[in-house]
Amino acid sequence: MALLEIKNIDVSYGKHVTVSGCSIDLEQGEICSVVGESGSGKTTVIRAVLGLLPGGGRVSSGDIIYDGRSLLQLNKKEWRALRGHDISMIFQDSGAMMNQTRLIGKSFVEYIRTHEHISKQDAWKKGADMLSRMRLPDPDRIMRSYPFQLSGGMRQRVGIAMGMTYQPKLLLADEPTSALDVTTQAQIVRQMMELRDEYGTSIIVVTHDIGVAAYMANKVVVMKDGHIEDQGERGYILNDSTNAYTRKLIGAVPSLGGKRYV
Ligand SMILES: Nc1ncnc2c1ncn2[C@@H]1O[C@H](COP(=O)(O)OP(=O)(O)O)[C@@H](O)[C@H]1O
Ligand SMILES: [Mg+2]
């Protein structure tokens, strides 16, 4: 059984159907990239899975099954237990989501203590351990910093480390590297792939960079105008798909046209 089954969902804002007929299966330990131009509905799909659609948004048809149960049936308490624990998320600038006036360590402690009844000292230690496991340099200094004192890339790595504290089975990442320079981008991509390798975390990563998608993913989903235009194993999408839109996206990246990633 797949870890996550998005089954033919429509997502609507008010009466307007924004995403229609979207189906994605994700096995344990699999990385799926979702690509497509801005406005094609990528973020909407990720937010639907997380139960975090903005006001007026809802899954108006279909179902989302995680680990055998429908996410659409969960109440707030069940979501609190699952989100940030079994299912984690990272956004384009996770640092911007942190409280800017609070030490990173304090935010980390608070996050840990919403999921575990442990002392503040133990939570602080657990947070610092997590940073060092993610190979962030000088974890104690990071814990004692405010978000604005770190670079964007470092904040993003802290965000990922936080999201990984409970070794989630599923990580949803929405353009996690878009705001970063190429070197940091590569670090973050490697970090996510290591999570998959070490913990068997399944990942859905939204990116408009088909190079990143092709490098990381076992499976690629191509979205266009609110529907899935094409999807399949990486090799199929890169080499064999005859879908005109997919070919156009791939053709726009010279290194992919030359098949360097496969
Ligand atoms: N809060 C909202 N209310 C109404 N429509 C929205 C809202 N958020 C996004 N949309 C619409 O959903 C469509 C897809 O947006 P989005 O999922 O953010 O695309 P992507 O992430 O691929 O750029 C857009 O056309 C946008 O207008
Ligand atoms: Mg988006």
Side-chain angles (χ1 to χ4, degrees), residues 44-178:
T44 299
V45 170
I46 292 271
R47 288 188 165 272
V49 174
L50 281 168
L52 288 179
L53 287 164
R58 71 203 159 87
V59 177
S60 49
S61 174
D63 206 350
I64 303 175
I65 310 290
Y66 168 78
D67 214 5
R69 59 181 174 155
S70 170
L71 292 180
L72 303 183
Q73 309 302 328
L74 299 186
N75 62 32
K76 282 200 169 123
K77 191 167 169 236
E78 291 167 324
W79 262 125
R80 265 202 305 278
L82 210 62
R83 220 187 268 129
H85 194 276
D86 290 51
I87 304 180
S88 260
M89 56 222 155
I90 43 179
F91 298 101
Q92 191 174 94
D93 182 0
S94 304
M97 314 283 294
M98 294 173 197
N99 186 334
Q100 300 300 311
T101 63
R102 185 175 291 169
L103 292 178
I104 284 171
K106 267 196 118 172
S107 297
F108 211 158
V109 164
E110 189 171 279
Y111 165 68
I112 288 171
R113 281 164 47 96
T114 62
H115 289 287
E116 265 185 283
H117 296 291
I118 59 175
S119 71
K120 285 184 181 169
Q121 289 86 336
D122 286 350
W124 183 281
K125 190 169 173 302
K126 183 169 185 146
D129 275 358
M130 200 59 211
L131 295 179
S132 76
R133 273 176 39 206
M134 293 284 136
R135 297 201 205 95
L136 277 104
D138 209 349
D140 281 314
R141 188 185 59 82
I142 293 173
M143 292 289 277
R144 279 180 238 286
S145 302
Y146 291 97
F148 66 83
Q149 294 174 309
L150 303 181
S151 68
M154 197 57 89
R155 278 203 304 266
Q156 188 66 322
R157 292 175 67 193
V158 171
I160 295 174
M162 276 195 198
M164 291 315 296
T165 307
Y166 295 100
Q167 298 165 20
K169 290 192 195 138
L170 176 61
L171 178 68
L172 302 169
D174 193 358
E175 313 246 14
T177 63
S178 307

Side-chain angles (χ1 to χ4, degrees), residues 13 18 37-44 54-55:
Y13 290 106
T18 297
E37 59 203 47
S38 182
S40 57
K42 305 180 300 293
T43 296
T44 299

